[in-house]
Amino acid sequence: MRIVDLRSDTVTLPSPAMRKAMAEAELGDDVFGEDPTVNRLQERSAERMGTEAALFVPSGTMANLVSVLTHCRRGEEVILGNQAHMFRYEAGSMAAVGSIHPHTIPNQPDGTLALSDIRSAVRPGDVHFPRTRLILLENTHNRCGGAVLSVEYTASVVQLAREKELCIHLDGARIFNAAVSLGVDVKDLMRGIDSVCFCLSKGLAAPVGSVICGSRDFIAEARRNRKVVGGGMRQAGILAAAGLVAMEEMVDRLAEDHANARKLAEGLGNITGLVVEARPATNMVYLRLNMQRFPATELVGRMKDRGILFLTVGENRFRLVTHYGITDADIDYTLTQFFDCMRE
Ligand code: TLP
């Protein structure tokens, strides 16, 4: 059966160029800082983000945890959105591992945090309260529809953080999708941000890995924290090699994924019984079922029987993600299968 896997851009497989680069990668022991390919990836990442230094880690989850551990001490507090990936999907890592307190405020539907909400969440200096240390933003915002935070919005949070003497960490798992969607240099989304992590293993299609970028001192301390959580990887250049190809060859093509997502959203929106949440800005389509013939809980299973895979992400809420390997023809096929399923 033909399978169209729209569960996530994490399912992407490495390109032939990545496999070749992996096979030929020059390697060393990265815990000694001696893997030339990892070092090259870190240099390229820092350059690309406009930071002094960078650190290769195995996953986005570890990248966020190591970054928060580096910014905060026990009992300190992070202000973040109630829809943030780090709050919802990272097993409570900041509390579980770091004894760091997550202070959630509502995410607006466009993925932003209202400046007034951030302002009132910052704690006054009083022994009763945890110390606020960090603001966490997410760009693109996964649960808010793959929404893009603009350069202007980011700058306004940076300004507020400076005023309140706080740091900002950006979960930029899909920051390149944001830059491509806005048509800006990724550095523009980083101005004044203290640390960012981005993923090589999502839309950029590398098999494994994320990168944390920040100041030289921050990255030196993050390297210690990566060790604490067991993220030192030895001959990791074999993975970094794919990451270098990902950064070189896979960024511009994200526009194709965005076009496919728009086409998918438009097509689904024309099928009676389906409601698309918003026109996608990047590679995610969020969907609800609005009909009585079968319960929403059956949609994923019924479509799986037709070879179309996607995820349930809430009560009657579904996510479909376009990515490398999904073609225009796959979108047509998906739409036909949805159309038939809804008439069954
Ligand atoms: N997100 C995954 C799932 O965990 C939901 C997905 O399929 O989208 N930040 C953001 C914004 C993410 O979307 C993800 C992964 C991560 C961090 C964590 O990255 P990994 O999976 O590499 O630990």
Side-chain angles (χ1 to χ4, degrees), residues 8 10 59-61 64 85 89-90 138 142 171 173-174 199 202 319:
S8 181
T10 59
S59 69
T61 301
N64 280 331
H85 192 276
Y89 295 126
E90 297 182 16
E138 185 176 313
N142 185 343
D171 177 350
R174 298 184 180 83
C199 290
K202 299 198 165 55
R319 187 189 76 168

Side-chain angles (χ1 to χ4, degrees), residues 71-115:
H71 282 292
C72 305
R73 287 187 296 217
R74 287 171 67 88
E76 293 184 339
E77 187 171 74
V78 178
I79 296 173
L80 77 173
N82 60 354
Q83 302 300 320
H85 192 276
M86 194 167 189
F87 181 63
R88 297 190 66 111
Y89 295 126
E90 297 182 16
S93 63
M94 74 170 84
V97 180
S99 301
I100 295 159
H101 195 239
H103 184 168
T104 54
I105 57 178
N107 270 112
Q108 303 303 309
D110 63 0
T112 61
L113 304 172
L115 294 182

Side-chain angles (χ1 to χ4, degrees), residues 18 21-27 35 37-38 207 235-243:
M18 287 181 198
M22 293 173 82
E24 293 170 0
E26 217 187 323
L27 305 175
D35 188 301
T37 310
V38 171
Q235 286 73 39
I238 207 153
L239 302 172

Side-chain angles (χ1 to χ4, degrees), residues 89-198:
Y89 295 126
E90 297 182 16
S93 63
M94 74 170 84
V97 180
S99 301
I100 295 159
H101 195 239
H103 184 168
T104 54
I105 57 178
N107 270 112
Q108 303 303 309
D110 63 0
T112 61
L113 304 172
L115 294 182
S116 53
D117 287 342
I118 300 178
R119 204 175 273 286
S120 44
V122 179
R123 311 280 189 160
D126 179 313
V127 291
H128 292 85
F129 302 131
R131 281 200 183 101
T132 309
R133 189 63 74 194
L134 185 69
I135 300 169
L136 184 140
L137 298 176
E138 185 176 313
N139 196 9
T140 65
H141 201 292
N142 185 343
R143 273 188 69 85
C144 293
V148 174
L149 306 186
S150 68
V151 174
E152 297 72 27
Y153 171 74
T154 307
S156 67
V157 180
V158 166
Q159 197 185 348
L160 175 55
R162 293 294 94 89
E163 182 194 316
K164 298 286 183 188
E165 298 182 356
L166 304 175
C167 288
I168 304 185
H169 172 67
L170 177 61
D171 177 350
R174 298 184 180 83
I175 189 79
F176 287 107
N177 293 82
V180 165
S181 170
L182 292 169
V184 301
D185 189 307
V186 74
K187 285 192 194 81
D188 297 338
L189 294 166
M190 271 295 296
R191 222 166 281 133
I193 297 279
D194 299 281
S195 60
V196 67
C197 60
F198 70 90

Side-chain angles (χ1 to χ4, degrees), residues 236-259:
I238 207 153
L239 302 172
L244 280 161
V245 176
M247 283 177 60
E248 214 50 61
E249 296 182 5
M250 304 302 272
V251 171
D252 292 343
R253 64 151 306 287
L254 293 173
E256 270 174 54
D257 300 341
H258 301 174

